[in-house]
Amino acid sequence: NAGVTQTPKFRILKIGQSMTLQCAQDMNHNYMYWYRQDPGMGLKLIYYSVGAGITDKGEVPNGYNVSRSTTEDFPLRLELAAPSQTSVYFCASSELAGGPLGANVLTFGAGSRLTVL
Amino acid sequence: EDKVVQSPLSLVVHEGDTVTLNCSYEVTNFRSLLWYKQEKKAPTFLFMLTSSGIEKKSGRLSSILDKKELFSILNITATQTGDSAIYLCAVGLGGKLIFGQGTELSVKP
């Protein structure tokens, strides 16, 4: 059981380049998320998805795009890389938040460290 | 704007000390409050709290939620060097989870 798999683990980009961070989960979770973590800043939500075909912006969506064509995959696209996007990116997934608890216990991927020079 | 604030941002203690980490929030559509531990890699889940006044415990760690005053605390008793980590508080808002800045705990031998 792989859980949440992110690729690549490390990447260096030049300013203006584009790339896609891949995320896949094999737990049949409906909810998927992308966060970025800067030193001392906790986790900031970039985008999230409540199911295939549905995505929504989080706290810091500018400069990123996502798609959710299948339940399993949730890629994050950086179109024009900027130094401000240097960060560690975490993908996560959770079960459907239903019922009286509405809980979101996230399972995280191992993270992708991106440096933009 | 939904907001989750943790304090202190960093803390240095010695083994055997007891620590209390704080998390306050101002959000709409509150569903749950969660604590995670992060040690140089991905965060791992500690507790989920949905009801006020009910303490959750796991070994030396415990946590409680006050939905009237909008805060939670995480207590760690008899700290060990293995407790050194960043502790993250997050609030579940139905479809999404918003995190605080984290508290970096360092436990010295």
Side-chain angles (χ1 to χ4, degrees), chain A residues 9-28:
Chain A
K9 285 186 169 47
F10 303 94
R11 183 73 186 268
I12 297 175
L13 282 181
K14 293 182 179 178
I15 293 172
Q17 285 186 320
S18 300
M19 76 158 297
T20 299
L21 297 176
Q22 301 290 345
C23 177
Q25 54 93 7
D26 62 359
M27 297 172 285
N28 202 33

Side-chain angles (χ1 to χ4, degrees), chain A residues 30-54:
Chain A
N30 282 303
Y31 285 69
M32 294 189 75
Y33 311 82
W34 275 106
Y35 288 91
R36 60 177 286 174
Q37 186 173 33
D38 302 322
M41 295 297 290
L43 293 163
K44 291 291 187 183
L45 181 64
I46 305 171
Y47 272 94
Y48 68 105
S49 169
V50 302
I54 305 168

